[in-house]
Amino acid sequence: MHALPQGSTVAVIGSGAMGSGIAQVAAIAGHQVLLYDTRQDAAAQAIESIRIACSKLVEKGRMGAVESDLACERLKAIATLGEAKDAALVVEAIVENLDAKRALFTELEGIVGDDCILATNTSSISVTAIAAPLRRPQRLVGMHFFNPVPLMALVEVISGLATSRAVADTVYATAEGWGKNPVHAKSTPGFIVNRVARPYYAEGLRLLLEQAADPATLDAVMRECGGFRMGPFELMDLIGHDVNFSVTNSVFDAYFGDPRFTPSILQQELVNAGFLGRKTGRGFYQYGEGADKPAAQTEAPQPRPQSVALIGGEPGPLETLVARVAGAGFALPRQEIGVAPGFLCEGAAVYLTDGRSATERARDNDHRDTVLFDLLLDAGKATRIALARADQCSDAAYHAVVGLFQAAGFAVTSLDDVPGMAVMRTVAMLANEAADAVNQGVCSARAVDTAMQKGVNYPRGPLAWADAVGLPQVVTALANLAAVYGEDRYRVSPLLRRKLAADPVGARIHA
């Protein structure tokens, strides 16, 4: 697998944010870069913007002055596609329209040499469909960068049905040589990131629809408990609801109405109202001068409980949380109650959510005072914990549990008693979608974890996260969600079932 040699010519078609970013990265990597745009002077203006960006990198000490000057010297605006005839690689970054892309590549086939690789930066259109009219469709490949290109590490290398493996491997190695983290994927709706990320938005929207909490509280839980950089609502406001809703609809339609990708009526209403997020000044939050972001709900301080014990089997995934509670000065004697690991706090049974509501679990265990807590990325460092109480639970028992976690240094948030809470159901669904992508041959397990970390800044790859939580817990949560809702949306991936059947106790996706 060999990358294109330094000094070879890369032509970039389209000089918008994506095209200019790709041109910048290629020039810095040592390629002669030709930049073309149908808009008059747009390519020249983009090159000037790249010069300014390189100057800022020099000022920050992230690039040498000589390196910056050489990179800028490699950039050239061209007035016609014919000037790209000697390119070794052409990367298209034009409007997201199948007909426009087909027309461009058909024209390029009559210009460039037979060995030239043609790459599309499409984020959503089938690479197979784009290549279909070409004489040599095997040389067309997806090279999907993420915005802003100079900063985002991921490149999805997408192979259509006709794409040559040698072409895909060359583009992969070239992207690696440009300092990126490439991953191979097959041309399927959403590729890796736009497919696997759907549950992050979908579960947040469903939680809001079911009044689990307000957007600010749910965002805080996903950040401070789950370790995500942004919560789903602030992220959708940043992306723009028109864009996010359109992608969801596109994936939903492409998968012939699979309920796993069902769009949300809440987001449809925002789009109908023109409340598109930051760019319109209003989405889930208000923006602009004088706008205040609502605070997350946090429980008032409660007294430190006197009686706290461990119950159930070995702590397993709760080990770090148990250590943190013990570090707060609780003795934690063991009581032989039930099999699921948890705490007994002033008579209240406290468990990690398993996809059932606390109310159901209280009924199933015949223990009225039942409180559930949500999944934590790192129980040793998390600043917040989310709780849900059974409808049967007494105020005194619930407040004792609040006091327990406050004594351990957590800000405590109350969620209404929705199945699976927030982080657990979201992570389980992300892992489930990632597992299906692997099971369907879209990509490898390593690739999907890399893609979600490097492409959308997840704190952990979804399959690695499933391994850390434990596949039995993830599958149980999904199965319970499916039972509660009666929807195919929560069906368990065959790959997860297979791994669990092979090793019911120690099953892992990453061997």
Side-chain angles (χ1 to χ4, degrees):
M1 185 164 60
H2 299 290
L4 293 175
Q6 279 194 353
S8 58
T9 299
V10 173
V12 180
I13 313 302
S15 63
M18 296 302 293
S20 62
I22 295 166
Q24 178 178 328
V25 169
I28 290 173
H31 293 278
Q32 302 297 318
V33 178
L34 305 176
L35 189 56
Y36 173 80
D37 201 295
T38 56
R39 298 167 297 161
Q40 188 174 4
D41 298 328
Q45 291 169 5
I47 289 175
E48 182 57 32
S49 296
I50 294 171
R51 291 183 191 278
I52 294 171
C54 287
S55 295
K56 290 180 179 178
L57 291 175
V58 173
E59 290 173 7
K60 294 176 181 178
R62 293 166 56 188
M63 178 187 281
V66 173
E67 181 186 5
S68 172
D69 290 343
L70 289 173
C72 292
E73 287 174 8
R74 298 186 192 108
L75 292 160
K76 178 184 177 183
I78 58 175
T80 66
L81 286 177
E83 295 177 71
K85 62 183 179 63
D86 295 324
L89 168 67
V90 179
V91 184
E92 164 272 313
I94 64 170
V95 63
E96 196 73 343
N97 177 276
L98 175 60
D99 290 339
K101 292 179 189 296
R102 280 178 164 178
L104 172 63
F105 284 118
T106 299
E107 184 177 358
L108 283 167
E109 265 204 314
I111 295 171
V112 299
D114 287 346
D115 293 334
C116 177
I117 294 173
L118 304 178
T120 173
N121 182 52
T122 183
S123 61
S124 60
I125 300 174
S126 164
V127 172
T128 298
I130 295 171
L134 300 183
R135 288 185 296 102
R136 301 183 71 244
Q138 65 271 22
R139 64 163 158 178
L140 189 133
V141 65
M143 197 175 189
H144 181 211
F145 292 83
F146 288 74
N147 195 28
V149 175
L151 298 180
M152 298 300 289
L154 182 67
V155 177
E156 291 179 320
V157 179
I158 314 298
S159 292
L161 282 180
T163 304
S164 159
R165 181 66 190 200
V167 166
D169 285 346
T170 297
V171 167
Y172 183 102
T174 299
E176 210 167 35
W178 293 1
K180 299 300 184 182
N181 290 111
V183 292
H184 281 295
K186 285 200 307 191
S187 181
T188 53
F191 308 144
I192 301 175
V193 171
N194 279 333
R195 171 187 177 168
V196 176
R198 294 345 295 162
Y200 191 65
Y201 314 111
E203 294 308 309
L205 288 161
R206 177 162 280 200
L207 287 165
L208 185 61
L209 183 68
E210 296 181 6
Q211 304 181 79
D214 60 90
T217 297
L218 290 168
D219 277 344
V221 168
M222 297 307 291
R223 288 194 314 270
E224 298 172 41
C225 304
F228 291 92
R229 188 167 296 184
M230 298 181 75
F233 303 102
E234 56 193 348
L235 181 54
M236 284 184 281
D237 272 5
L238 177 64
I239 294 168
H241 292 285
D242 52 342
V243 174
N244 190 263
F245 187 65
S246 175
V247 172
T248 298
N249 274 281
S250 174
V251 174
F252 179 66
D253 292 341
Y255 279 105
F256 306 108
D258 188 329
R260 189 172 285 172
F261 305 109
T262 302
S264 167
I265 57 173
L266 288 181
Q267 194 166 42
Q268 171 75 83
E269 283 290 272
L270 287 173
V271 173
N272 288 344
F275 300 159
L276 306 183
R278 287 180 178 270
K279 60 187 174 185
T280 61
R282 180 174 177 180
F284 286 110
Y285 301 105
Q286 298 275 0
Y287 300 92
E289 189 174 348
D292 292 324
K293 186 173 179 179
Q297 182 274 340
T298 301
E299 295 286 64
Q302 298 296 330
R304 179 186 176 94
Q306 298 301 308
S307 172
V308 183
L310 294 179
I311 56 175
E314 291 302 312
L318 306 189
E319 187 174 355
T320 304
L321 180 60
V322 169
R324 179 164 173 173
V325 170
F330 293 100
L332 300 182
R334 178 169 292 280
Q335 294 195 20
E336 299 302 322
I337 298 176
V339 294
F343 302 94
L344 190 66
C345 176
E346 302 285 2
V350 187
Y351 301 108
L352 173 66
T353 177
D354 68 353
R356 289 176 288 175
S357 67
T359 301
E360 283 184 297
R361 199 152 176 183
R363 177 204 63 199
D364 294 346
N365 292 346
D366 194 24
H367 195 114
R368 293 176 56 87
D369 291 333
T370 294
V371 179
L372 303 182
F373 59 90
D374 207 350
L375 182 66
L376 299 167
L377 172 68
D378 185 341
K381 297 179 180 178
T383 58
R384 184 178 297 273
I385 194 167
L387 305 180
R389 59 187 287 185
D391 290 348
Q392 310 93 312
C393 184
S394 70
D395 288 345
Y398 174 68
H399 290 150
V401 177
V402 172
L404 166 66
F405 288 114
Q406 288 174 337
F410 292 99
V412 177
T413 283
S414 173
L415 299 181
D416 194 41
D417 189 23
V418 294
M421 303 189 72
V423 182
M424 175 64 89
R425 69 189 282 168
T426 301
V427 168
M429 285 293 280
L430 289 170
N432 203 40
E433 198 56 52
D436 252 9
V438 174
N439 194 54
Q440 294 163 11
V442 175
C443 59
S444 68
R446 184 197 67 80
V448 74
D449 277 353
T450 297
M452 301 315 291
Q453 287 186 281
K454 300 298 184 181
V456 279
N457 292 314
Y458 283 5
R460 182 182 280 164
L463 294 178
W465 207 336
D467 283 345
V469 174
L471 294 194
Q473 285 84 354
V474 170
V475 170
T476 296
L478 291 166
N480 284 332
L481 287 165
V484 169
Y485 287 106
E487 296 179 31
D488 198 40
R489 171 191 183 106
Y490 296 103
R491 67 186 184 272
V492 180
S493 169
L495 179 61
L496 296 182
R497 289 190 180 279
R498 178 179 173 181
K499 291 287 186 181
L500 201 57
D503 185 353
V505 178
R508 293 176 62 83
I509 295 291
H510 294 283

